[in-house]
Amino acid sequence: MEASAEAGAAAAAAARTLRWAGRAGHLGGLPRAAVFAAVGAFAKAYASLLNTTTVHNADALLRLVSSRAPGTPLLTVSNHMSTLDDPLMWGFKGFPTSDAKLGRWVLTAEDICFKNAVMSYMFRLGKCIPITRGGGIYQEHMNEALDVLRNGGWLHTFPEGKIVQDDQPIRRLKWGTASLIVRAPITPIVLPIVHSGFEKVMPEKSFFGRRPPVPLCSKKIDIIVGEPIEFDMPSLKQEASMVPHDSSSEQKGWPPITPDGLDEVAQRWLYQKMSDKVQSVMERLRKTVINLKQH
């Protein structure tokens, strides 16, 4: 009974998240193109016309989005300051925001973006992948994210895992992003991005203690694109394989990573090591943004 109930719940989740609607060939790609055109126009309006957006090192992002080597996956990571970070962060002048083919895939909260069939359909057309909070790094939807990287696509994640609108250091990162880097057949280019100002465009508590009904205008937005973060994966995996085992540590039953054979203890060490590096780079970028705003 318990197994059948779990199977039923999984089937219901699959039906609700409408993965088929996210396929490029769905209805000839026309619905996806329409959504990207509409959302792209919205992002351009709020990022480039109704607010003032300054992007530092934009060429690094533009180059990797439009002309990286075929088959090379791109993984961008950023801080998360509002519900509109994506798509507004792609709305700056010169960025192909409305190009459905070049557009990113992005990990999104299932409980927010996939509440019903209509929302699921629209977010799927927008190349969004649902992530179940608390579902862990081996949940089924993470395989969709791996498929994007496997096919040389562009995936965006918010590794902090939640919106943080206070001007504070980058929070400890969730391990999901690091696990995607490790498990991807081809190690992706990892590009860090840090922004400031979207928390003023869509504050969590401003309209009777809630978000405003529409995004706010006349705000200043700063975006800084870093340089790709290098990971020496063979050396990291070798070091991880030699981590001593502690029988008292909690185990979640993760499968070993093939072909390296890294068990859960090795994976935990590896994911933390890589997450710490990404967090450190993002924190340096955050401090750079602060300095730029003061001059």
Side-chain angles (χ1 to χ4, degrees):
M1 288 292 290
E2 190 172 316
S4 62
E6 290 180 357
R16 185 176 65 253
T17 56
L18 308 181
R19 184 174 184 179
W20 52 267
R23 294 170 185 153
H26 171 59
L27 295 180
L30 295 177
R32 174 184 287 183
V35 165
F36 266 81
V39 174
F42 169 82
K44 288 288 186 186
Y46 274 97
S48 300
L49 297 176
L50 302 176
N51 293 287
T52 302
T53 299
T54 303
V55 185
H56 308 272
N57 197 29
D59 287 346
L61 175 63
L62 288 165
R63 183 175 62 253
L64 290 173
V65 167
S66 60
S67 59
R68 66 185 182 280
T72 302
L74 171 64
L75 178 62
T76 51
V77 297
S78 75
N79 57 325
H80 201 6
M81 301 201 75
S82 80
T83 54
L84 289 180
D85 291 353
D86 183 300
L88 296 192
M89 64 187 296
W90 318 120
F92 62 88
K93 294 178 181 178
F95 193 83
T97 315
S98 297
D99 191 321
K101 185 176 181 181
L102 289 178
R104 88 293 168 266
W105 288 85
V106 61
L107 302 187
T108 54
E110 182 179 12
D111 60 321
I112 295 176
C113 302
F114 291 77
K115 291 181 178 180
N116 54 56
V118 173
M119 292 182 67
S120 296
Y121 185 66
M122 297 304 294
F123 278 100
R124 279 296 192 182
L125 292 178
K127 297 173 75 170
C128 298
I129 298 173
I131 292 297
T132 304
R133 298 178 192 270
I137 63 175
Y138 280 100
Q139 61 180 280
E140 179 61 29
H141 295 309
M142 290 292 277
N143 292 329
E144 294 185 45
L146 280 173
D147 285 343
V148 171
L149 299 178
R150 184 178 294 110
N151 294 325
W154 169 24
L155 178 71
H156 183 73
T157 72
F158 297 100
E160 289 178 292
K162 63 184 295 185
I163 292 172
V164 181
Q165 296 206 320
D166 298 331
D167 190 9
Q168 57 181 286
I170 300 296
R171 296 168 60 91
R172 179 181 182 274
L173 305 187
K174 304 292 185 182
W175 288 351
T177 297
S179 77
L180 290 172
I181 300 170
V182 173
R183 295 160 60 197
I186 299 176
T187 301
I189 298 171
V190 182
L191 189 70
I193 303 172
V194 169
H195 50 77
S196 174
F198 292 125
E199 75 282 5
K200 297 176 182 177
V201 176
M202 183 53 72
E204 288 289 293
K205 297 179 180 180
S206 73
F207 190 75
F208 297 104
R210 300 189 177 190
R211 300 182 192 119
V214 296
L216 305 182
C217 304
S218 302
K219 307 301 180 183
K220 189 176 186 305
I221 300 165
D222 286 282
I223 302 173
I224 183 167
V225 180
E227 296 300 326
I229 302 174
E230 299 290 338
F231 291 104
D232 183 351
M233 293 311 304
S235 296
L236 284 170
K237 289 179 178 179
Q238 176 65 26
E239 194 172 353
S241 67
M242 297 186 292
V243 172
H245 287 56
D246 181 359
S247 58
S248 63
S249 62
E250 179 187 2
Q251 301 289 306
K252 294 183 178 293
W254 293 350
I257 295 178
T258 56
D260 308 285
L262 297 179
D263 61 15
E264 185 171 334
V265 172
Q267 290 179 57
R268 287 174 174 272
W269 181 90
L270 185 58
Y271 298 157
Q272 188 61 61
K273 182 86 170 179
M274 295 174 67
S275 295
D276 287 346
K277 182 172 183 178
V278 174
Q279 179 184 9
S280 176
V281 171
M282 291 177 66
E283 176 59 18
R284 287 200 298 272
L285 289 177
R286 188 190 72 87
K287 291 179 178 177
T288 301
V289 168
I290 293 174
N291 290 333
L292 290 170
K293 289 166 63 177
Q294 294 174 344
H295 294 86

